[in-house]
Amino acid sequence: MEESRSRRSRIFSNFMALGILQGTNFLLPVLVMPFVINRIGADGYGIVAVAQVILLIFCTVSDYGFNLTATRALALHGDDVAKNARLFFTVLAAKMIICAVLFAVLLLLITTVPFFKQHFQLYLFGFTWVLGQSLLVSWFFQGVEKMKYITIYTLLARLLFVALVFAFIRERADNRFFILFMGIGSLVAGIASIFQAIRLCKLPIVRPLWRDIVQELKEGWPVMLSNISINTFLSINVFILRLFTNDLMAGYYSVAEKIFLAFRQVPVMFSQVIYPPLCQLLQKGKEVTRPFFKSVYVPFLLLVLLGAVLLCSFSSFIVTFFLGANSGNTVLLLRLFCLGPVIVCLHVPASQLLMAANHKKSYLRVLSWGTVLNVICNLLLVQVWGSLGTTISVLLTELFITAGFNREMYRNKLAGYLRARAH
């Protein structure tokens, strides 16, 4: 009982810390939107939103699924400092290699594709965001369940981002600096997090071995593909919408989508926090995982439902705050998006059980088909209903992924870890 109470307390502490961390990552860019849109216009913001789509995919590749594979390894290592140090520097080295390859790809795109060439400064400056996110070792603090130590650095970095935006973005041409300022904040947080991890966990400096790097890359490959799938389906929507409409409509949609994505991070954060203890509990058997889900997950699901109702109720006020009276159909889009986080929350137990039990292929299969469904629905519905069709495509994809994860949980005989069998 005492161990269970201690675990719940640690989960709550880590969730609050991760909430501040992710909140600053997502909410501060959302909160500066009214100022930015007023300076660069909704169409100028649409150009930035499309660039963020591309660079977010780059960030996903550089992350390479270490937030699951390395986190799982750390949870199983326990307090073995030597193993943790070896993993820490191996993952950092792997990420820097990936970043070098990604930068070469970006240079190729800028020199060969007219769309990228037209906004080459925006993309070159924006790559600092990819590098900064690669240096951020939140995966390490998640694995050792000490998320609160990274929170203060991220908060300061995001406040730096806000200060730079207010100080230097003055006109439409300044839109090329928006992602650069995000990148500067990420670089500050990333470098600080590395020193904090080394100092806090007393990690000895270890030179990464090439074979270890290759092994980590092999281990993370399926998860990286899974993460690309989910981030592609979450980020490509505005890109497809822009292909069939214009910068203004993409800008209006992007406001509703960013508020949705900020709220969607709540169940995502919860899944990240419960993942390390779940990896440990799975080793002990079904009798300890069932009460874990009942005491931790069920109350959280009710809170997400309450949050969705409140967001739907205040959608008009929120959209007016960002866009003023001229907001197109953004209020309708945001009210529909309120369903998204609830749907995501319904697959948290299944998706985390699949990863904790190392069923990476099942996890990848669901997300890959979900991405395919999203692209097909987008291409069909956006031509009929515009941004409303894009929003419906997102919700249909979330439903498909939730059903898919729960189906895979039953196929892999993991449902017994979630609930007691009927007698």
Side-chain angles (χ1 to χ4, degrees):
M1 180 65 70
E2 187 63 33
E3 182 184 354
S4 176
R5 190 178 296 110
S6 173
R7 183 180 294 112
R8 283 198 299 270
S9 175
R10 193 164 62 249
I11 286 172
F12 178 76
S13 174
N14 284 329
F15 180 77
M16 293 303 297
L18 192 57
I20 296 172
L21 172 67
Q22 296 291 6
T24 53
N25 275 337
F26 280 82
L27 288 179
L28 284 180
V30 168
L31 291 176
V32 300
M33 273 197 298
F35 174 84
V36 173
I37 291 173
N38 185 49
R39 293 296 189 273
I40 67 176
D43 55 342
Y45 188 76
I47 294 170
V48 172
V50 172
Q52 283 182 288
V53 169
I54 307 299
L55 293 170
L56 180 60
I57 293 174
F58 276 33
C59 286
T60 305
V61 175
S62 68
D63 181 69
Y64 206 80
F66 294 128
N67 63 317
L68 289 175
T69 57
T71 297
R72 182 175 184 271
L74 286 166
L76 297 179
H77 286 173
D79 296 325
D80 192 322
V81 176
K83 286 183 178 179
N84 289 345
R86 184 176 175 182
L87 181 65
F88 181 82
F89 289 104
T90 298
V91 169
L92 276 182
K95 285 195 168 196
M96 291 304 99
I97 291 171
I98 295 169
C99 274
V101 174
L102 289 173
F103 189 66
V105 171
L106 181 62
L107 291 178
L108 182 64
L109 290 172
I110 288 173
T111 54
T112 58
V113 180
F115 176 80
F116 289 93
K117 191 181 295 184
Q118 183 181 359
H119 305 290
F120 75 95
Q121 284 186 323
L122 174 64
Y123 286 92
L124 282 178
F125 291 163
F127 195 80
T128 56
W129 183 39
V130 180
L131 182 59
Q133 290 297 108
S134 299
L135 292 174
L136 193 66
V137 294
S138 54
W139 57 271
F140 181 83
F141 288 99
Q142 182 187 343
V144 296
E145 297 187 71
K146 295 179 179 178
M147 287 299 302
K148 61 183 179 181
Y149 292 102
I150 197 176
T151 304
I152 187 66
Y153 296 107
T154 305
L155 179 59
L156 289 173
R158 292 300 177 257
L159 290 175
L160 174 61
F161 156 73
V162 172
L164 289 170
V165 166
F166 282 115
F168 294 105
I169 292 187
R170 288 285 176 264
E171 57 188 29
R172 179 184 169 84
D174 293 335
N175 65 354
R176 66 188 188 275
F177 297 125
F178 184 83
I179 307 178
L180 169 64
F181 295 155
M182 290 178 62
I184 291 173
S186 293
L187 283 170
V188 171
I191 293 169
S193 72
I194 291 172
F195 283 104
Q196 181 69 21
I198 293 172
R199 186 180 67 84
L200 179 69
C201 298
K202 297 180 173 59
L203 300 176
I205 307 299
V206 178
R207 198 186 83 168
L209 300 176
W210 179 249
R211 68 171 180 270
D212 290 339
I213 294 173
V214 172
Q215 179 59 36
E216 287 300 324
L217 291 175
K218 287 181 179 178
E219 186 75 15
W221 175 254
V223 184
M224 188 270 287
L225 292 179
S226 301
N227 287 343
I228 285 181
S229 295
I230 194 165
N231 280 325
T232 297
F233 116 69
L234 287 174
S235 58
I236 204 172
N237 302 294
V238 68
F239 187 76
I240 294 176
L241 178 63
R242 174 60 187 84
L243 289 177
F244 290 95
T245 57
N246 53 53
D247 290 330
L248 183 62
M249 188 170 288
Y252 284 150
Y253 169 81
S254 184
V255 171
E257 185 187 58
K258 277 187 165 39
I259 297 169
F260 154 65
L261 291 178
F263 186 19
R264 189 186 185 278
Q265 276 301 109
V266 174
V268 172
M269 287 187 303
F270 177 76
S271 66
Q272 290 175 330
V273 169
I274 68 169
Y275 181 64
L278 183 59
C279 290
Q280 298 166 354
L281 289 173
L282 239 62
Q283 310 295 315
K284 300 178 181 179
K286 300 174 183 178
E287 296 305 320
V288 292
T289 57
R290 292 166 186 160
F292 173 75
F293 280 113
K294 184 177 180 180
S295 63
V296 174
Y297 169 71
V298 174
F300 178 76
L301 175 60
L302 295 176
L303 285 175
V304 171
L305 281 168
L306 176 62
V309 171
L310 290 174
L311 180 60
C312 185
S313 302
F314 290 97
S315 292
S316 181
F317 171 78
I318 293 168
V319 169
T320 303
F321 172 76
F322 288 119
L323 292 171
N326 187 18
S327 59
N329 65 342
T330 310
V331 174
L332 173 62
L333 302 183
L334 182 56
R335 283 176 175 160
L336 287 173
F337 271 137
C338 290
L339 296 170
V342 179
I343 298 170
V344 172
C345 201
L346 292 175
H347 75 58
V348 166
S351 62
Q352 296 309 292
L353 278 170
L354 286 169
M355 286 308 303
N358 214 23
H359 291 291
K360 289 180 283 193
K361 290 184 178 179
S362 296
Y363 191 87
L364 172 59
R365 182 163 50 246
V366 172
L367 292 177
S368 298
W369 281 111
T371 303
V372 171
L373 174 67
N374 180 66
V375 172
I376 292 173
C377 286
N378 254 310
L379 292 174
L380 294 175
L381 298 182
V382 74
Q383 298 181 65
V384 181
W385 293 316
S387 56
L388 179 60
T390 303
T391 305
I392 293 172
S393 298
V394 172
L395 295 176
L396 287 175
T397 305
E398 294 283 20
L399 280 170
F400 174 86
I401 290 173
T402 294
F405 276 143
N406 281 282
R407 178 177 178 273
E408 291 296 322
M409 177 181 68
Y410 280 94
R411 281 186 69 251
N412 288 285
K413 297 180 173 58
L414 295 172
Y417 290 96
L418 182 58
R419 60 177 177 79
R421 292 174 182 170
H423 294 289

